[in-house]
Amino acid sequence: MPFEIVRDISQIETIAVGRRIRDLPRLRRLYGTGRWRKLKGVALVRLRSGTVRRAEVHWYEAHGFGRKEVKRKRYVD
């Protein structure tokens, strides 16, 4: 992850749940079986250069596994 989340993620929305997630077999193989959800939200991120920007982030999450594979999608500032 070439960035760091500086503050809590806001405006969290669920994009997909369970079999609606395209990468579900890979997630189950890597992390285990769970009720996987794909989520998105807005967060302040610190880039490798030290710049702090507001960006939309996407990630996968399941109970007991936490937040996995956080991706920066686009800047919203």
Side-chain angles (χ1 to χ4, degrees):
M1 185 166 52
F3 64 91
E4 172 190 356
I5 295 176
V6 178
R7 286 195 188 157
D8 291 339
I9 300 172
S10 62
Q11 302 175 22
I12 297 174
E13 295 178 36
T14 302
I15 299 172
V17 178
R19 292 190 302 174
R20 299 289 297 178
I21 300 172
R22 194 178 349 174
D23 288 338
L24 186 61
R26 185 181 60 79
L27 292 170
R28 286 182 171 163
R29 187 178 63 247
L30 285 175
Y31 305 111
T33 302
R35 185 173 182 265
W36 286 98
R37 297 178 296 158
K38 184 172 184 177
L39 301 155
K40 72 175 183 179
V42 175
L44 280 180
V45 297
R46 179 175 292 121
L47 306 176
R48 193 178 293 176
S49 65
T51 308
V52 176
R53 296 191 68 180
R54 191 171 165 85
E56 180 179 314
V57 292
H58 291 196
W59 70 94
Y60 299 104
E61 189 174 293
H63 182 75
F65 296 101
R67 193 177 294 156
K68 302 288 183 188
E69 301 181 18
V70 179
K71 302 169 202 163
R72 177 177 35 96
K73 289 298 185 178
R74 63 185 178 98
Y75 298 113
V76 292
D77 55 357

